[in-house]
Amino acid sequence: MMKNIFKYTFLGLSLMFLASCEDEDTQRIPIDELGNGPNVRVVIDPNNSFLDFDNINSAVFKYTVYTESTDLQLVQFNVSFIPFATGVAVDTLLIEEWTLADFTGGSISVEYSSNQLATLFGLSGAGDLEGGDTFAFTNTTTMNDGRVYPSPTVGGNINVTPNIVQSAATTSFTSNFSTFVGCPSQIPVGNFTMIFNGSFCDPPCGFENPGASPATDLVYEGVAITRVGPVAYQVSQVDQPVEAIYSGIGYTGFSNTGAIQDICGVLQGTFGTQFVATGFQPIIQPSSTFDNGAGTITIDFITGFGGSGTYEFVPN
């Protein structure tokens, strides 16, 4: 039996998950009066993007670093270990350091075993890792003229496109990326019928439609679940129940999506709503389940205003 399986929740790094969707133009570092910005990008091997808990002793994490720059002085990668149990980085260590001469043919391929990463932070080995443990990497690049990327600029900004996480091959600079301990996910994708039961605040907030909260068996057809990473999923139209309950005060036309992460069979994530800043956002609870036989997903949630309920997804 996997240890502490019911403890596993995924840190919102994530998760962060595991893909970037920025416009290519916004991913380019512009040429300024100081010269060209750096080109240092990371592409993670999709077949080794996380450390498989079911095979933790043989698990590996792989990525390749590419550059087209000719004026790099030093590229340094640091890594932090964030245990699930605390959610706080225990340390940050230098793990890689390269000069331009190290980029044979413009790239460097890197592979870490789970044991390497574990012992780097003082653990006895990969067997000490738990589901949801995360290794977060950051890139600091120094140019020949002394410019350092990323660095702060005026107005609290930084001199690279911020937070290009899990970057695709079209990005020019990867500032951070991560891997985590997880399990292969078997949640199905496609079209579902969504059935909602519950309320978004308790006691009632006073401005719902009469009798609409708590809601019972609100049914919505054609809700899509798509896979956006090895263990990450996106759910369409999760705000439809919010619209139904609060339409009396003009909240209509919602189209926010939900995010689900499957960490060794334990579901975690949030469902985005227009109320995210006011405490109405449904937060997925660890009691949420996935029936592998029927393909049914049951999401238990709570909100900041004491609301609770379920989203049930039945495959069409």
Side-chain angles (χ1 to χ4, degrees):
M1 232 181 133
M2 291 182 294
K3 63 179 181 178
N4 299 326
I5 188 63
F6 294 106
K7 291 172 52 183
Y8 301 163
T9 52
F10 186 62
L11 301 172
L13 298 177
S14 34
L15 300 272
M16 287 195 212
F17 90 285
L18 297 172
S20 172
C21 300
E22 297 184 16
D23 184 300
E24 182 176 349
D25 289 339
T26 68
Q27 297 170 347
R28 297 295 178 182
I29 300 172
I31 297 174
D32 56 26
E33 66 274 11
L34 296 176
N36 290 325
N39 179 281
V40 180
R41 51 191 176 87
V42 174
V43 177
I44 294 173
D45 181 350
N47 296 317
N48 296 276
S49 62
F50 66 96
L51 302 173
D52 184 357
F53 187 87
D54 288 345
N55 300 284
I56 193 61
N57 290 315
S58 60
V60 294
F61 172 55
K62 298 181 181 181
Y63 63 88
T64 301
V65 188
Y66 295 90
T67 187
E68 298 175 9
S69 295
T70 58
D71 56 348
L72 293 179
Q73 181 185 101
L74 191 64
V75 177
Q76 295 174 305
F77 280 15
N78 288 283
V79 60
S80 301
F81 175 51
I82 308 171
F84 159 73
T86 64
V88 178
V90 297
D91 206 351
T92 299
L93 303 172
L94 178 67
I95 193 170
E96 301 289 354
E97 190 170 79
W98 303 294
T99 66
L100 182 61
D102 295 314
F103 287 86
T104 304
S107 67
I108 298 174
S109 294
V110 185
E111 175 179 327
Y112 306 122
S113 70
S114 54
N115 190 65
Q116 282 178 289
L117 292 172
T119 56
L120 181 65
F121 290 93
L123 302 179
S124 62
D128 287 343
L129 296 172
E130 298 184 354
D133 288 351
T134 298
F135 295 93
F137 296 79
T138 57
N139 168 15
T140 302
T141 295
T142 303
M143 310 300 286
N144 285 333
D145 60 9
R147 285 174 294 142
V148 177
Y149 295 84
S151 290
T153 62
V154 294
N157 298 311
I158 59 174
N159 59 354
V160 299
T161 303
N163 300 324
I164 303 175
V165 181
Q166 307 299 108
S167 65
T170 56
T171 62
S172 62
F173 191 88
T174 303
S175 55
N176 57 76
F177 58 101
S178 64
T179 189
F180 63 97
V181 180
C183 304
S185 177
Q186 302 301 321
I187 290 179
V189 297
N191 289 323
F192 289 74
T193 296
M194 182 175 73
I195 305 169
F196 176 87
N197 286 275
S199 62
F200 293 98
C201 54
D202 186 32
C205 299
F207 49 80
E208 300 94 336
N209 287 338
S213 183
T216 302
D217 291 336
L218 295 179
V219 178
Y220 303 93
E221 303 287 348
V223 176
I225 296 181
T226 56
R227 193 168 190 153
V228 295
V231 297
Y233 300 84
Q234 180 173 285
V235 185
S236 68
Q237 299 297 322
V238 294
D239 274 335
Q240 289 169 314
V242 185
E243 179 177 341
I245 294 173
Y246 295 99
S247 60
I249 55 171
Y251 292 109
T252 60
F254 293 172
S255 61
N256 291 171
T257 59
I260 299 175
Q261 292 85 41
D262 175 13
I263 305 302
C264 296
V266 177
L267 306 183
Q268 180 65 13
T270 55
F271 279 9
T273 79
Q274 187 166 325
F275 299 110
V276 61
T278 57
F280 285 92
Q281 185 182 41
I283 301 171
I284 299 175
Q285 297 301 288
S287 56
S288 301
T289 59
F290 163 56
D291 185 331
N292 191 42
T296 301
I297 305 166
T298 302
I299 300 296
D300 298 324
F301 74 87
I302 61 172
T303 72
F305 282 129
S308 63
T310 62
Y311 289 84
E312 183 180 8
F313 300 90
V314 180
N316 292 336

